[in-house]
Amino acid sequence: MNSGIVSYGAYIPFYRIDPESIGRQWGRNGADVGKALGVKMKSVPAQDEDAATMAVEASRCALKRAGIHPQDIGAIFVGSESHPYAVKPTATIVGEALEATPGLMAADMEFACKAGTAGMQNSMGLVMSKMVKYALAIGTDTAQGAPGNALEYTAAAGAAAFIIGLENTIATINHTVSFTTDTPDFWRRGGMKYPSHGGRFTGQPAYFRHVVSCGKELFSLAGTAPEDYQFAVFHQPNSKFPSKAGKMLGFSQQQLSEGLIVKEIGNTYSAASMIGLASVLDNANPGDRILLVSYGSGAGADGFDITVTPGIETFRKGINKTIREWISNYQLVDYGTYAKNLKKYKMEGE
Amino acid sequence: MTIPRFWREIPIRYNLMGSKCPLCGTVFFPPKEICKICRRVSIDQMIHEKLSGRGTILTHTTVHEAPTDFESQVPYYLAIIELDEGPSVLGQIADCTNGDLAIGKRVHSVFRRVSEDGVSGTIHYGYKFVLDHSR
Ligand SMILES: [Zn+2]
């Protein structure tokens, strides 16, 4: 029996910064950088938000929408590269805040931007083997780029939570497949505040090779072709990469547009492809087929072949805030506020 | 704040866990062991009552001079909120400016970082509030 998505929820912080404001700080034409990346603005967490708080908000939303009792959640996986503690699992904080403790398996996942979808795959295994009734997979990040670095224009904050189960699904996960190699395109050594990346190396041998290979592998496993899908969602570090990967796999811009949210909120790392999937589910109809391929530097891609069930129609009545609504509700901040919120300043005594 | 104290208060801080007197129905937050109306007869009778986090602003203020742990947040906004279940609670209003606040406005609780024990100590998560229509 296939497992599927029983519910989902998301969280996007209230604040945004635009590329112009970032460029102005570093003597660059931010508008041109933004245009080249296809990013109009990026989300900025409030001072009191982090990967744990956003994970809690997204998960509470998912539980509420499906009316699931938190004690029925048997496993929580929190995927992030910005866990608030180096040692102390974010999943314990989330579990307690959801009242899903103590009969609970909880673990933090780490695989750059695909740690959340890795949690979805783990959840599927536990649910299908009937070790747990429901499992919760979360992608959450308050991503950081070093001041002045190109990553600063896109590194954003957000979270998405998916509850995986066998019954009452709103979408069936027909197949999942991963493509993994040792490719050093982006990394952060222990104790370092900001990540490093391999410049142009992040494109062809990293993102495109993994995403496209994983997509093709999924086609062959599912016996499908691009035209069988109404929607395709890819990891979206900027607008260019997912558009190009989609094209390489044979998808049209129309199949991609609903899941492409990076233009409005930037790259939310572990949450990026999952918020894209949430946006698609906000608008999908029973029978629609969705292809999802995440990407995590280091490197790997997780592919999912998903079919929307009739359950989506009653589920949708419980949605109080769509991804489009989260996106359109914001306030712009200046570079100083953004730097303060992301603790880029070293304070007295630190 | 000591670690044991924070740990004990997690249900209150994360999930607004209050208590309810089954005799008269009064809800207390933070939870009370004894109902202040029914007094002695309520001993050992009080039940857990999780609050919805929904309420109305009774009064609000802007903090410009803050304790050390909160200095980086000034100005920030505090309000006394009358929760729908009855009790009033002091809480920080997040994601707003002074002009957004008004007596009678509706709020709901959110999960945020409230304080932390320096850069190497534990992080104290808990409830804050946001305005219903802004977020
Ligand atoms: Zn009483």
Side-chain angles (χ1 to χ4, degrees):
Chain A
M1 191 182 183
N2 280 329
S3 62
I5 297 162
V6 178
S7 184
Y8 64 95
Y11 183 84
I12 299 166
F14 186 43
Y15 302 104
R16 308 279 187 274
I17 189 165
D18 55 26
E20 289 85 341
S21 305
I22 297 170
R24 195 176 304 129
Q25 194 69 26
W26 303 109
R28 310 235 173 245
N29 186 329
D32 283 356
V33 178
K35 206 168 282 173
L37 294 167
V39 174
K40 285 190 265 180
M41 52 192 148
K42 67 166 191 171
S43 57
V44 175
Q47 253 194 95
D48 57 2
E49 292 185 300
D50 63 21
T53 65
M54 297 190 303
V56 168
E57 292 292 336
S59 306
R60 281 180 174 170
C61 169
L63 279 174
K64 199 173 162 193
R65 284 175 174 180
I68 289 172
H69 195 282
Q71 288 291 324
D72 285 337
I73 300 283
I76 296 181
F77 298 108
V78 184
S80 182
E81 58 120 74
S82 46
H83 290 291
Y85 288 94
V87 178
K88 177 167 183 3
T90 309
T92 58
I93 300 163
V94 175
E96 202 73 52
L98 300 181
E99 298 180 289
T101 51
L104 174 77
M105 183 190 305
D108 286 1
M109 311 293 285
E110 198 250 310
F111 198 139
C113 298
K114 81 163 191 73
T117 54
M120 281 173 65
Q121 291 176 321
N122 278 273
S123 296
M124 290 170 67
L126 289 171
V127 162
M128 286 195 284
S129 64
K130 298 202 164 67
M131 282 177 70
V132 303
K133 185 174 180 188
Y134 297 118
L136 173 63
I138 303 159
T140 179
D141 261 307
T142 51
Q144 290 256 31
N149 189 282
L151 284 176
E152 235 199 334
Y153 291 91
T154 51
F162 283 79
I163 299 173
I164 307 296
L166 289 181
E167 287 162 22
N168 301 320
T169 57
I170 55 168
T172 306
I173 304 174
N174 311 309
H175 300 280
T176 184
V177 66
S178 295
F179 186 92
T180 311
T181 71
D182 179 351
T183 304
D185 58 329
F186 172 100
W187 60 92
R188 181 166 65 84
R189 295 275 300 271
M192 301 301 288
K193 188 170 167 73
Y194 300 111
S196 308
H197 55 89
R200 289 195 171 274
F201 189 62
T202 55
Q204 203 47 50
Y207 181 89
F208 293 107
R209 179 180 173 220
H210 291 77
V211 168
V212 172
S213 302
C214 185
K216 285 181 176 165
E217 199 61 39
L218 195 59
F219 285 154
S220 103
L221 191 67
T224 51
E227 53 271 25
D228 295 323
Y229 296 90
Q230 278 66 40
F231 303 99
V233 184
F234 298 99
H235 175 55
Q236 33 204 287
N238 51 54
S239 292
K240 281 190 316 188
F241 276 32
S243 301
K244 190 174 165 195
K247 205 170 172 187
M248 287 163 83
L249 281 166
F251 289 103
S252 68
Q253 203 54 44
Q254 197 201 332
Q255 286 163 298
L256 298 178
S257 65
E258 196 55 59
L260 208 58
I261 41 124
V262 62
K263 286 174 284 188
E264 321 287 342
I265 58 167
N267 177 8
T268 56
Y269 282 50
S270 296
S273 60
M274 294 170 80
I275 298 178
L277 175 61
S279 178
V280 163
L281 288 172
D282 280 349
N283 295 284
N285 294 308
D288 281 355
R289 208 152 174 173
I290 305 163
L291 176 133
L292 167 71
V293 183
S294 65
Y295 174 74
S297 291
D302 300 330
F304 299 82
D305 168 43
I306 298 165
T307 304
V308 179
T309 72
I312 194 89
E313 292 189 318
T314 40
F315 176 84
R316 187 164 292 144
K317 292 177 191 140
I319 294 183
N320 55 341
K321 197 168 183 177
T322 62
I323 297 300
R324 294 286 151 196
E325 287 168 334
W326 276 108
I327 285 173
S328 61
N329 181 31
Y330 68 87
Q331 186 182 312
L332 280 171
V333 295
D334 58 19
Y335 192 89
T337 305
Y338 150 78
K340 184 178 167 189
N341 286 8
L342 281 160
K343 298 168 183 67
K344 288 176 184 289
Y345 298 121
K346 222 176 169 86
M347 305 302 283
E348 197 179 346
E350 276 184 31
Chain B
M1 190 179 344
T2 65
I3 289 174
R5 183 183 149 201
F6 175 80
W7 178 75
R8 260 197 321 274
E9 291 176 357
I10 278 179
I12 302 171
R13 293 169 175 273
Y14 287 15
N15 282 305
L16 288 159
M17 192 58 76
S19 65
K20 184 176 179 175
C21 170
L23 305 171
C24 70
T26 307
V27 176
F28 298 91
F29 186 84
K32 295 259 181 295
E33 300 281 323
I34 302 173
C35 173
K36 68 178 177 192
I37 297 159
C38 306
R39 297 179 188 256
R40 285 192 56 174
V41 285
S42 70
I43 293 172
D44 295 332
Q45 304 262 339
M46 302 295 283
I47 52 175
H48 293 297
E49 175 83 358
K50 188 186 170 181
L51 303 175
S52 64
R54 305 201 163 271
T56 307
I57 295 178
L58 286 181
T59 174
H60 61 90
T61 185
T62 304
V63 179
H64 293 285
E65 296 299 328
T68 322
D69 287 357
F70 296 85
E71 260 173 2
S72 70
Q73 298 183 46
V74 294
Y76 61 89
Y77 310 98
L78 288 177
I80 294 175
I81 290 137
E82 184 177 40
L83 297 168
D84 289 354
E85 293 85 354
S88 293
V89 57
L90 177 70
Q92 200 174 325
I93 312 286
D95 297 353
C96 71
T97 61
N98 191 31
D100 300 333
L101 295 177
I103 290 167
K105 277 201 176 177
R106 296 284 297 166
V107 296
H108 61 271
S109 63
V110 290
F111 187 79
R112 296 286 172 108
R113 288 167 80 115
V114 176
S115 62
E116 58 186 59
D117 190 7
V119 287
S120 61
T122 54
I123 303 164
H124 307 137
Y125 293 95
Y127 60 84
K128 289 189 183 180
F129 295 87
V130 294
L131 295 166
D132 270 9
H133 296 293
S134 74
R135 298 268 24 218

